[in-house]
Amino acid sequence: MAIIVDKVQKKKDIALSCKALVVSKGINVLTIAQIAKAAGVGKGTIYEYFKNKEEIVFEIINIMKFEHSQKLAHQLSQLKSTKEMVKKFSEFFYSNEEKELREIYKEFISLSLMNSNPEMMAYQTQCFNNYYGWFTEILQEGVNNGELRAESIKLARGIFVMGEGMFITNSVTHSIENLKEELEMFIDTIFELLEVKK
Amino acid sequence: MAIIVDKVQKKKDIALSCKALVVSKGINVLTIAQIAKAAGVGKGTIYEYFKNKEEIVFEIINIMKFEHSQKLAHQLSQLKSTKEMVKKFSEFFYSNEEKELREIYKEFISLSLMNSNPEMMAYQTQCFNNYYGWFTEILQEGVNNGELRAESIKLARGIFVMGEGMFITNSVTHSIENLKEELEMFIDTIFELLEVKK
Amino acid sequence: MAIIVDKVQKKKDIALSCKALVVSKGINVLTIAQIAKAAGVGKGTIYEYFKNKEEIVFEIINIMKFEHSQKLAHQLSQLKSTKEMVKKFSEFFYSNEEKELREIYKEFISLSLMNSNPEMMAYQTQCFNNYYGWFTEILQEGVNNGELRAESIKLARGIFVMGEGMFITNSVTHSIENLKEELEMFIDTIFELLEVKK
Amino acid sequence: MAIIVDKVQKKKDIALSCKALVVSKGINVLTIAQIAKAAGVGKGTIYEYFKNKEEIVFEIINIMKFEHSQKLAHQLSQLKSTKEMVKKFSEFFYSNEEKELREIYKEFISLSLMNSNPEMMAYQTQCFNNYYGWFTEILQEGVNNGELRAESIKLARGIFVMGEGMFITNSVTHSIENLKEELEMFIDTIFELLEVKK
DNA sequence: TATGAATGAGCATTCATTCAT
DNA sequence: CATGAATGAATGCTCATTCAT
């Protein structure tokens, strides 16, 4: 009988073994030949596990986002104040640890903006909803336990999306020298306004 | 006597005559042949005026951004309150009039995210600084004339960038049905917090 | 105790279970993967029984031609007049019952015209000789029993081959709407000329 | 100003300069690279003049069929008897002069049988109708001037197509050693039956 | 100045076949 | 016997760019 391979695991393995390459060069500039070589498999094997080149980025980001959200969940659970939690969210946009994920994320945004691939859009929407749902819950919690003013909810989307805006803007212009400080200052300031003064 | 052609003007003419095409299809999917045809010139002629395909997008966005900023300047001059001005800024992200510019802008962001072309980045930075400088001036004015609290300045970048964030996020997910309302609600809410209560 | 599989029978089984697929799609467009799936076996198993993809068409046409000739023999034995027999021969080119065999046959002709595979040619020659030998015997019989004029023998090849010609021509042009009537008219007319008038 | 090229003529030139190659190897086995090299142009240039690889065969056969029909028209005009004309038609299938055209024709039939490309079919139909129309006119003429019996018309398609049948059958089996004699014998015999005895 | 004919590097993808188990 | 995972050769076609006129 033939070897039975754990297709799901092998897909992950391939994706991960060419992750560094994709992160450093970008998917567009890479050829399947290079990817296959980096993954230590034949070109044909890539197509046994991925429908096309783009799907490799999908898989990589998928794995990394999963890891990131696991870690984020854990870290958030250790935190008490809403502000700290919001800051933790914003860390994605500057922390050194997430540099790779950010690179891939840029790649992904770029792909999504170019061709409006429905699959990609569905995936993006799902990711967004996950994180954003999580974010609003945190703010809601803050309101419920009297930490924040009720209006906070109405600012949720704006605050959430502001990190993205800073990240993209900065990726494209390098106009901000210290993203971390900028983000923190914004959050501090807005919490100043939103926190219920006792 | 050779015909003296206004190089600058002809460059503009070519860019404008293929604007619609670039907006509707996206630069990636277009070939120089199609662009030349739309512009009513030969393929070789394109290269007399543009260094490469990307530069066409540059030129188009350049022209359109100029027009947009002229119009914006005029419109802002008619407005009194800072909030109205901020809203006017955010109109770019949803108004029907700017649809074309937005399409090109997406194209441009996408290109910038993919390959970090230094020229492009310089151009983006300059654009950003123009608009952002303008934006901070308005907020500063608001603070100066006692309309807004001093902290407003510290939120400037965040507010400015939030529109971008919503726009990109939504381009990629279509998760927001009514961008206009979302943006206005955010601005209203934040101004509620920032306006000096007399 | 190993299971003893009847190699010949299994080869037939595989061929037959993908017959419909080959007929409907054509061998060129089919992959071994699809064929194996249709046959309910692994890809490797196909190669246990067939040397290559083309050999599958061989096997299918082999089985079908055998069935067809069996049936034809039976049907011919029921007929009295030479003309009826000749018409029975020509039925292959239009009867609904032989549609599948015709499809495969076209496939086979096409393959044979492209690459002059000697094996294929040998096979074709053998088939041709079988049928053609049979056909001349029938005509000879007709001559012998005073039904037909002696010249008939000299027309044998032409008449035999004419059905093929109409079939191929029509496959390639669809210029004939009713092949059956055309063929029958031809045979009727030629027999009018060949029959011994008493 | 740029060079203006006679596109139609250059298309012909390219087709003709790779004719020998296509005839000897067959289009399927040839790569565009080989064809371009044989034609002495770059690969890209091929696609300036031909939509795809198959279209090259189209063009070649088109040119050759045109030449052939010109020649045939001339030769037919020199002939008196209907039988001679019919034999002249059949010469295509064996004469040494038409060997190349026959090779390409086989190629073309094979392509047409495989994929039912509507363009190809339309082309084939047109060719067939041309030649067949011509053929029937000749027979009709023969009937009109009392040379042939009226039934001849009813045999027209069969006789016309018989050459094709012999050609294809023989291409696929090599069962006939002397196609010329076979064809002539058939025609002689059938004319024996069809000629009006005075 | 304008052009469009010519080009060829470049690449994703397919799939028959092999062979370790 | 049976299999299906792995493979890599093989190729049509695109298109930005050049450059002779």
Side-chain angles (χ1 to χ4, degrees):
Chain A
M1 292 297 257
I3 320 132
I4 299 296
V5 168
D6 181 346
K7 284 247 173 193
V8 175
Q9 186 54 45
K10 178 129 193 187
K11 187 172 183 175
K12 265 191 191 170
D13 292 345
I14 293 176
L16 286 175
S17 54
C18 63
K19 188 180 77 172
L21 197 65
V22 175
V23 165
S24 65
K25 309 262 183 177
I27 192 74
N28 274 304
V29 105
L30 286 175
T31 66
I32 286 289
Q34 289 173 299
I35 291 168
K37 201 173 169 189
V41 297
K43 264 185 325 186
T45 308
I46 297 289
Y47 287 90
E48 290 288 321
Y49 294 92
F50 301 92
K51 218 171 63 251
N52 50 43
K53 222 171 79 167
E54 284 185 354
E55 222 201 352
I56 299 170
V57 182
F58 257 86
E59 183 65 16
I60 296 176
I61 206 170
N62 213 7
I63 296 167
M64 293 175 82
K65 269 208 169 171
F66 181 73
E67 283 170 4
H68 172 252
S69 67
Q70 296 283 91
K71 191 167 57 186
L72 185 59
H74 175 72
Q75 291 175 328
L76 288 173
S77 72
Q78 316 279 57
L79 298 173
K80 289 281 153 48
S81 81
T82 308
K83 189 163 89 176
E84 281 171 315
M85 289 180 186
V86 169
K87 281 189 175 176
K88 182 55 78 186
F89 257 90
S90 78
E91 267 182 23
F92 166 70
F93 296 112
Y94 60 80
S95 93
N96 241 320
E97 259 174 293
E98 307 307 338
K99 209 168 173 199
E100 283 200 323
L101 179 50
R102 280 203 302 278
E103 260 345 280
I104 284 277
Y105 187 55
K106 264 160 63 176
E107 198 78 19
F108 202 47
I109 298 264
S110 182
L111 285 176
S112 300
L113 287 174
M114 288 243 140
N115 48 67
S116 37
N117 178 332
E119 267 183 291
M120 244 180 189
M121 192 168 302
Y123 180 75
Q124 289 270 32
T125 305
Q126 187 210 315
C127 282
F128 178 84
N129 288 339
N130 274 351
Y131 277 99
Y132 180 53
W134 205 349
F135 188 79
T136 47
E137 266 173 42
I138 287 168
L139 284 195
Q140 187 63 56
E141 191 86 7
V143 172
N144 291 349
N145 61 34
E147 209 182 320
L148 297 180
R149 297 169 57 175
E151 299 96 300
S152 309
I153 300 306
K154 291 202 276 180
L155 293 180
R157 182 163 240 127
I159 298 172
F160 183 76
V161 127
M162 180 271 308
E164 192 107 8
M166 279 211 183
F167 173 59
I168 297 292
T169 303
N170 213 35
S171 297
V172 155
T173 66
H174 287 317
S175 62
I176 307 177
E177 263 157 50
N178 200 325
L179 197 57
K180 179 178 187 231
E181 260 90 77
E182 284 283 349
L183 279 165
E184 289 192 328
M185 185 184 71
F186 179 85
I187 294 167
D188 284 335
T189 312
I190 211 150
F191 268 81
E192 204 67 38
L193 298 166
L194 288 176
E195 273 164 346
V196 175
K197 305 291 169 347
K198 297 176 188 179
Chain B
M1 254 200 330
I3 307 150
I4 301 300
V5 176
D6 181 345
K7 274 247 177 193
V8 176
Q9 186 55 44
K10 180 132 189 189
K11 188 170 181 174
K12 262 191 192 171
D13 290 345
I14 292 176
L16 286 175
S17 55
C18 64
K19 189 181 78 172
L21 200 64
V22 175
V23 165
S24 64
K25 308 263 183 175
I27 191 72
N28 273 306
V29 99
L30 285 176
T31 66
I32 288 288
Q34 289 174 298
I35 289 168
K37 198 175 173 188
V41 299
K43 270 188 314 192
T45 309
I46 296 289
Y47 286 88
E48 291 291 321
Y49 294 92
F50 301 91
K51 217 172 68 251
N52 52 40
K53 223 171 75 167
E54 285 184 353
E55 220 201 336
I56 299 171
V57 183
F58 259 86
E59 183 65 17
I60 296 176
I61 206 169
N62 211 8
I63 297 168
M64 292 176 83
K65 268 208 170 171
F66 181 73
E67 283 170 5
H68 173 251
S69 66
Q70 295 283 89
K71 192 166 60 186
L72 184 60
H74 175 71
Q75 291 175 329
L76 288 174
S77 73
Q78 317 279 56
L79 298 174
K80 290 279 151 51
S81 80
T82 309
K83 189 164 90 175
E84 280 172 316
M85 290 182 186
V86 168
K87 280 190 177 178
K88 182 56 77 184
F89 258 89
S90 78
E91 267 182 22
F92 166 71
F93 296 112
Y94 61 79
S95 94
N96 242 320
E97 259 173 293
E98 308 307 339
K99 211 170 171 195
E100 283 198 326
L101 179 50
R102 280 202 303 277
E103 275 321 302
I104 287 278
Y105 187 54
K106 262 160 63 176
E107 202 76 21
F108 201 46
I109 298 261
S110 183
L111 285 176
S112 302
L113 287 174
M114 288 242 139
N115 47 69
S116 39
N117 178 333
E119 268 184 286
M120 238 178 193
M121 194 168 301
Y123 179 76
Q124 289 270 34
T125 307
Q126 186 210 313
C127 281
F128 178 83
N129 288 338
N130 274 352
Y131 278 99
Y132 181 54
W134 204 351
F135 187 80
T136 46
E137 267 173 40
I138 287 168
L139 283 195
Q140 187 64 56
E141 191 88 4
V143 171
N144 292 348
N145 62 34
E147 212 181 320
L148 297 181
R149 298 168 58 171
E151 299 97 300
S152 308
I153 301 306
K154 293 201 274 183
L155 293 180
R157 181 161 241 127
I159 297 172
F160 184 76
V161 125
M162 178 272 309
E164 192 106 8
M166 278 209 184
F167 173 59
I168 297 293
T169 304
N170 212 35
S171 295
V172 154
T173 65
H174 288 314
S175 64
I176 306 179
E177 263 160 49
N178 201 326
L179 197 57
K180 180 179 189 233
E181 258 91 79
E182 284 281 349
L183 279 165
E184 290 191 327
M185 186 185 72
F186 180 84
I187 295 169
D188 284 335
T189 310
I190 211 148
F191 268 81
E192 203 68 37
L193 299 167
L194 288 175
E195 272 164 344
V196 174
K197 303 293 167 352
K198 297 176 189 179
Chain C
M1 257 207 314
I3 306 150
I4 300 300
V5 174
D6 181 347
K7 273 248 174 192
V8 175
Q9 186 54 44
K10 180 132 189 188
K11 188 171 181 174
K12 262 192 192 171
D13 290 346
I14 292 176
L16 286 174
S17 56
C18 63
K19 189 182 78 173
L21 200 64
V22 175
V23 166
S24 64
K25 309 262 185 177
I27 192 73
N28 274 306
V29 100
L30 285 176
T31 65
I32 287 289
Q34 289 173 298
I35 290 168
K37 199 175 172 188
V41 298
K43 270 189 313 193
T45 308
I46 296 288
Y47 286 87
E48 291 291 321
Y49 294 92
F50 301 91
K51 214 172 69 252
N52 53 40
K53 222 172 75 167
E54 285 183 355
E55 221 201 338
I56 298 170
V57 183
F58 261 85
E59 182 66 16
I60 296 175
I61 206 169
N62 212 6
I63 297 168
M64 292 175 84
K65 270 209 170 169
F66 180 74
E67 282 171 5
H68 173 250
S69 65
Q70 294 282 89
K71 192 166 57 186
L72 184 60
H74 175 71
Q75 290 175 328
L76 288 174
S77 72
Q78 316 279 55
L79 298 174
K80 289 280 149 50
S81 79
T82 309
K83 189 163 91 175
E84 281 173 316
M85 289 181 188
V86 169
K87 281 190 177 177
K88 183 55 78 184
F89 257 89
S90 78
E91 267 183 21
F92 167 69
F93 297 112
Y94 61 79
S95 93
N96 242 320
E97 258 174 292
E98 307 306 338
K99 213 171 169 195
E100 284 197 324
L101 179 50
R102 279 201 305 277
E103 277 321 304
I104 287 276
Y105 187 55
K106 264 160 64 177
E107 202 75 22
F108 201 45
I109 298 265
S110 183
L111 285 176
S112 301
L113 288 174
M114 289 242 137
N115 46 69
S116 39
N117 179 332
E119 269 184 288
M120 241 179 191
M121 194 166 303
Y123 180 74
Q124 289 269 34
T125 306
Q126 186 210 313
C127 282
F128 178 83
N129 288 339
N130 274 350
Y131 278 99
Y132 181 54
W134 204 349
F135 187 78
T136 46
E137 267 172 41
I138 286 168
L139 283 195
Q140 188 63 57
E141 191 87 6
V143 172
N144 292 349
N145 60 36
E147 212 182 320
L148 298 180
R149 298 169 57 172
E151 299 96 299
S152 308
I153 300 307
K154 291 202 274 182
L155 293 180
R157 182 161 241 129
I159 297 173
F160 185 74
V161 129
M162 179 272 309
E164 193 106 8
M166 279 211 185
F167 174 59
I168 297 293
T169 304
N170 212 36
S171 297
V172 154
T173 66
H174 287 316
S175 62
I176 307 179
E177 263 161 48
N178 201 325
L179 198 58
K180 181 180 188 234
E181 258 91 78
E182 285 281 349
L183 280 165
E184 289 192 327
M185 186 184 71
F186 180 85
I187 295 168
D188 284 335
T189 310
I190 212 149
F191 267 81
E192 203 67 36
L193 299 166
L194 289 176
E195 272 163 346
V196 174
K197 303 289 163 3
K198 298 176 189 178
Chain D
M1 289 299 254
I3 320 132
I4 300 295
V5 168
D6 181 347
K7 285 248 174 190
V8 175
Q9 185 54 46
K10 178 128 193 185
K11 187 171 182 175
K12 265 190 192 171
D13 292 345
I14 293 177
L16 286 174
S17 55
C18 64
K19 188 182 75 173
L21 197 65
V22 174
V23 165
S24 65
K25 309 262 184 177
I27 192 74
N28 275 304
V29 103
L30 286 175
T31 67
I32 286 290
Q34 290 173 297
I35 290 169
K37 201 174 170 188
V41 298
K43 260 183 330 181
T45 308
I46 296 290
Y47 287 91
E48 290 287 321
Y49 295 91
F50 301 92
K51 222 172 60 250
N52 51 42
K53 222 173 77 167
E54 284 185 356
E55 222 202 352
I56 300 171
V57 183
F58 258 86
E59 184 65 15
I60 297 176
I61 205 169
N62 213 6
I63 297 168
M64 292 177 84
K65 269 210 168 170
F66 180 73
E67 284 170 4
H68 172 252
S69 67
Q70 296 282 91
K71 193 166 56 186
L72 184 59
H74 175 71
Q75 292 175 327
L76 287 174
S77 73
Q78 317 280 57
L79 299 174
K80 289 282 150 51
S81 80
T82 309
K83 190 163 88 176
E84 280 171 315
M85 290 182 187
V86 168
K87 280 189 178 177
K88 183 55 80 184
F89 257 89
S90 77
E91 268 182 23
F92 166 71
F93 296 112
Y94 61 80
S95 94
N96 241 319
E97 260 175 291
E98 307 307 340
K99 209 168 174 201
E100 283 199 324
L101 179 50
R102 280 202 303 277
E103 260 345 280
I104 284 278
Y105 186 55
K106 263 159 65 176
E107 198 79 18
F108 202 46
I109 297 264
S110 181
L111 286 176
S112 300
L113 287 174
M114 287 243 138
N115 48 68
S116 37
N117 179 332
E119 268 184 290
M120 247 182 187
M121 194 169 297
Y123 180 74
Q124 290 270 31
T125 305
Q126 188 210 313
C127 283
F128 177 83
N129 288 339
N130 274 350
Y131 278 99
Y132 181 54
W134 206 351
F135 188 80
T136 47
E137 266 173 40
I138 287 167
L139 283 195
Q140 187 63 57
E141 192 86 6
V143 171
N144 292 348
N145 59 36
E147 213 182 319
L148 297 180
R149 298 170 57 172
E151 298 96 300
S152 308
I153 300 306
K154 291 201 276 182
L155 294 181
R157 181 162 242 127
I159 298 172
F160 184 76
V161 127
M162 180 270 308
E164 192 107 8
M166 278 211 186
F167 173 59
I168 298 292
T169 304
N170 213 36
S171 297
V172 154
T173 65
H174 286 317
S175 63
I176 307 179
E177 264 158 50
N178 200 325
L179 197 55
K180 180 178 186 231
E181 260 90 77
E182 283 281 350
L183 280 164
E184 290 191 328
M185 185 184 72
F186 179 84
I187 294 168
D188 284 335
T189 311
I190 212 151
F191 268 79
E192 204 67 38
L193 298 167
L194 288 175
E195 271 163 346
V196 173
K197 303 290 168 350
K198 294 173 190 182

